């Protein structure tokens, strides 16, 4: 900047007016887009508390008139919603715990332990990340069927309890941990698992938090897998239940407050986690970039 | 646990421990990722109808029949498949540029150092990306309903919104007729007579339907936040000195964008575009929830068609064949991305390392 000041015609001065204008335009653009990105959620929230005629007549209004919780009463009493929430909680918890533990075990082994075939396994894990999920729907159904676990909690959980991307994230983290830490532990007589569990894993807290949050978000929102893993309504998770609510028996009628309310309730846990742990989502997006 | 046994020495123990540590991942990925691909390859070559095991002796082996019906034989299978390819191609053609440009634009604005409330805006733009695709689809069903928010917004400007989800007319058709070039009721014979792969030229040139454009809007809306973050990470790697130097040289904002920023963003741009291509060819959830391929098959996509063919029509062989074609397409796109990014493999690593610290700072 000091160099700029030495020049006869300072660009800073010339830019003064332009900066102010572009500043204003910048904010205007941002507010417009913030509105575009957030107002649909306001509409969703507001309409979940509207009566059906009100939702049809005033879909844009941010305030319901009258305010009614009728939709939520019907969600909890007239649909399988409580069941779906319970299933989602169980499935998400088990998958998240499983992924964090198994992915970090494997990530540690691939980063640090010397064994024959390590390079091959690492290559396979990276290759597997390229397999597009959607084209595996039929094949996954075939395997679940052959194993005799179709339409069970096992089918909802087992195929997705490890994920290659998570293994890769953990491996990248463990590669960056200094070896001296483990050497000290080993000299003190700790075994491989002990070293991993009590020495290296606690150091991996940032990566573990990221993985936990990504796993939670991913499995809470997971939809296509549940389509081919289960068919009984008692085994539906939230996204499956909500999709069924929309395209199934209720699909014909409008019933928008009901549907929006159900979708809203399905969004809230992820929204809360997101607002609390934004940083980790951002890191996930960045690491997701190099993996996919 | 493993270390207490001293016999094998430290390296020997490590080998056992290493395999034990990776075993769950290897077994589960093998069982639910690799094995399925092989089984599906077999099923796509068979006439299995979903009854019993696909490996029983009485399941007919039909060779490439399921594939030739998609490409060379006249009939419903090819018509549906080609229609789904057409729909998805238009979808890709609109979504990828739109989400890339929007993501870049948002990143450029969010990146301004002087801007207040940067983290608020970043959160706002990224938020849709983390929520459930099913929940978002439900929301858009309401937004674009006949009496929904979009149509009531349009009516505020005196416009009559279409019946979004039941309008199969293609945007290209509509704009051609809007220009008075063609009559939709009587399309030109030159285009309806000839054709390719079972669809007439006129059908190929429909453009995305009005119904499909709601899904296009939805996807651009949900994904641009993620890609914005990638651009943002790359922008934060641009050295300040470079911008200052260009400022001194008297470059205006546009020139700076054109000659300084964009060239530096090239690797990220490529990454965003190929990731976009890979994911847009897999569109499924939104189709399942919002349209199920309707109206008039204009939102049918290969991913949804393969699901429908297998699980609704019980033609597993045909469904698996569609999956395989799509699989090959996506693998090719992925390989292209890997191959090009390999030359500049410094880029992703820098981003992964820098992003968390950057975000913490602001």
């Amino acid at each position: 900047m000091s160099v700029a000041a030495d020049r006869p015609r300072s660009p800073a001065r010339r830019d003064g007016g332009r900066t102010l204008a572009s500043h204003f335009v910048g904010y205007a653009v941002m507010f417009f887009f913030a509105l575009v990105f957030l107002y649909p959620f306001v509409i969703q929230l507001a309409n979940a508390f509207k009566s059906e005629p009100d939702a049809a007549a005033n879909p844009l209004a941010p305030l319901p008139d009258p305010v009614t919780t009728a939709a939520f009463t019907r969600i909890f009493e007239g649909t399988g919603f409580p069941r779906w929430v319970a299933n989602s909680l169980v499935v998400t918890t088990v998958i998240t715990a499983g992924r964090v533990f198994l992915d970090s075990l494997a990530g540690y082994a691939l980063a640090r332990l010397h064994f024959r075939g390590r390079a091959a396994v690492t290559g396979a894990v990276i290759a597997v990340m390229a397999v597009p999920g959607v084209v595996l729907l039929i094949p996954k159904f075939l395997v679940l069927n052959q194993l005799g676990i179709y339409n069970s909690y096992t089918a909802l959980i087992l195929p997705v309890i490890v994920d290659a991307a998570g293994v890769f994230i953990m491996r990248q983290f463990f590669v960056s941990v200094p070896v001296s830490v483990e050497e000290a532990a080993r000299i003190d007589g700790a075994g491989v698992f002990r070293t991993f569990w009590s020495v290296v894993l606690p150091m991996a807290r940032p990566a573990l938090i990221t993985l936990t949050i990504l796993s939670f978000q991913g499995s809470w929102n997971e939809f296509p897998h549940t389509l081919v893993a289960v068919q009984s309504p008692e085994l539906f998770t939230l996204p499956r239940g909500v999709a069924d609510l929309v395209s199934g028996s209720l699909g014909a009628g409008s019933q928008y407050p009901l549907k929006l309310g159900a979708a809203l309730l399905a969004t809230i846990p992820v929204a809360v986690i997101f607002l609390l742990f934004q940083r980790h989502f951002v890191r996930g997006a960045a690491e997701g970039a190099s993996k996919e | 646990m493993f270390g207490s046994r001293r016999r094998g020495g430290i390296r020997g123990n490590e080998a056992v421990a290493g395999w034990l540590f990776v075993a769950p991942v290897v077994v589960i990925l093998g069982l639910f990722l690799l094995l399925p691909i092989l089984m599906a390859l077999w099923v796509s070559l068979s006439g299995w109808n979903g009854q019993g095991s696909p490996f029983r002796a009485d399941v007919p082996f039909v060779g490439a029949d399921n594939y030739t019906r998609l490409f060379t034989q006249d009939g419903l299978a090819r018509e549906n498949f080609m229609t789904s390819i057409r729909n998805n191609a238009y979808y890709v053609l609109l979504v990828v540029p739109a989400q890339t440009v929007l993501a870049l634009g948002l990143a450029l604005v969010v990146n301004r150092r002087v801007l207040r409330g940067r983290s608020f805006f970043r959160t706002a733009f990224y938020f849709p990306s983390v929520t459930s695709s099913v929940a978002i689809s439900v929301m858009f069903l309401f937004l674009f309903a006949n009496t929904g928010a979009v149509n009531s917004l349009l009516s505020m400007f005196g416009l009559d919104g279409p019946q979004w989800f039941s309008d199969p007319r293609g945007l290209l058709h509509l704009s051609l007729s809007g220009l008075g070039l063609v009559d939709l009721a009587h399309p030109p014979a030159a285009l309806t007579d000839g054709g390719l792969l079972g669809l007439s030229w006129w059908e190929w040139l429909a453009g995305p339907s009005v119904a499909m454009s709601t899904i296009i809007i939805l996807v651009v809306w949900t994904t641009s936040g993620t890609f914005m973050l990638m651009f943002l990470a790359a922008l934060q790697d641009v050295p300040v000195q470079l911008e200052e130097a260009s400022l001194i040289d008297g470059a205006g904002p546009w020139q700076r964008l054109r000659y300084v920023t964009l060239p530096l963003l090239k690797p990220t741009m490529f990454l965003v575009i190929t990731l976009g291509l890979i994911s847009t060819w897999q569109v499924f959830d939104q189709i399942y929830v919002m349209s199920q391929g309707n109206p008039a098959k204009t939102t049918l996509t290969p991913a949804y068609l393969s699901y429908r063919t297998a699980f609704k029509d019980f033609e597993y062989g045909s469904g698996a064949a569609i999956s395989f074609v799509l699989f090959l397409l996506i693998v090719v796109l992925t390989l292209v991305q890997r191959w090009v990014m390999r030359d500049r493999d410094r880029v992703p690593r820098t981003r992964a390392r820098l992003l968390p610290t950057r975000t913490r700072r602001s």
Side-chain angles (χ1 to χ4, degrees), chain B residues 257-309:
Chain B
L257 180 67
R258 170 74 185 78
Y259 296 107
V260 180
T261 316
L262 283 187
L264 286 167
L265 287 183
K266 234 166 109 185
T268 313
M269 185 77 82
F270 183 80
L271 180 74
V272 165
I273 291 174
T274 41
L275 287 181
L277 285 174
I278 291 167
S279 68
T280 44
W281 279 105
Q282 294 190 63
V283 55
F284 178 84
D285 299 13
Q286 295 83 357
I287 308 279
Y288 182 95
V289 177
M290 293 171 78
S291 67
Q292 316 243 313
N294 297 321
K297 298 179 187 172
T298 58
T299 61
L300 209 55
T301 62
Y304 184 75
L305 180 66
S306 89
Y307 169 80
R308 201 185 76 173
T309 310

Side-chain angles (χ1 to χ4, degrees), chain B residues 25-37:
Chain B
V25 168
V26 169
V27 169
I28 293 172
L29 291 183
L31 211 52
F32 296 104
L33 274 167
L34 292 181
L35 181 65
I37 296 174

